[in-house]
């Protein structure tokens, strides 16, 4: 069974997503939404990036390093 889900940032399916809580100002989704790794990565560079988001991205990074290990 494959992980995956809808990424609210690029508005499409992604092989791996994590719940990202980000408060956007103006454009983009606010509150919490699922983001894929390529979309979540830059979010962690923000000065106000929540710790849980950084952790979620780190977990996705780790999963991305292990193709075929998914259960
Ligand atoms: Zn995405």
């Amino acid at each position: 069974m494959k992980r995956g889900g809808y990424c609210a940032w690029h508005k499409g399916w992604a092989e791996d997503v994590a719940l990202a809580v980000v408060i956007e100002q103006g454009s983009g989704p606010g509150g919490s939404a699922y983001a894929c790794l390529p979309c979540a990565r830059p979010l962690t560079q923000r000065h106000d990036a929540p710790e849980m988001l950084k952790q979620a991205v780190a977990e996705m990074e780790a999963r991305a390093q292990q193709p075929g290990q998914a259960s």
Side-chain angles (χ1 to χ4, degrees):
M1 196 168 143
K2 205 128 174 74
R3 266 188 316 267
Y6 181 82
C7 171
W9 268 260
H10 74 261
K11 299 195 190 322
W13 181 263
E15 287 201 355
D16 199 1
V17 292
L19 187 63
V21 180
V22 174
I23 309 301
E24 292 287 342
Q25 296 166 354
S27 62
S32 63
Y34 284 91
C36 68
L37 182 54
C39 292
R41 228 183 236 139
L43 298 176
T44 65
Q45 305 304 310
R46 295 162 53 118
H47 66 91
D48 60 348
E51 203 55 45
M52 71 151 281
L53 174 60
K54 293 177 186 172
Q55 199 152 38
V57 169
E59 282 169 13
M60 278 199 288
E61 299 267 23
R63 288 201 292 264
Q65 310 282 316
Q66 306 171 1
Q69 297 288 311
S71 55

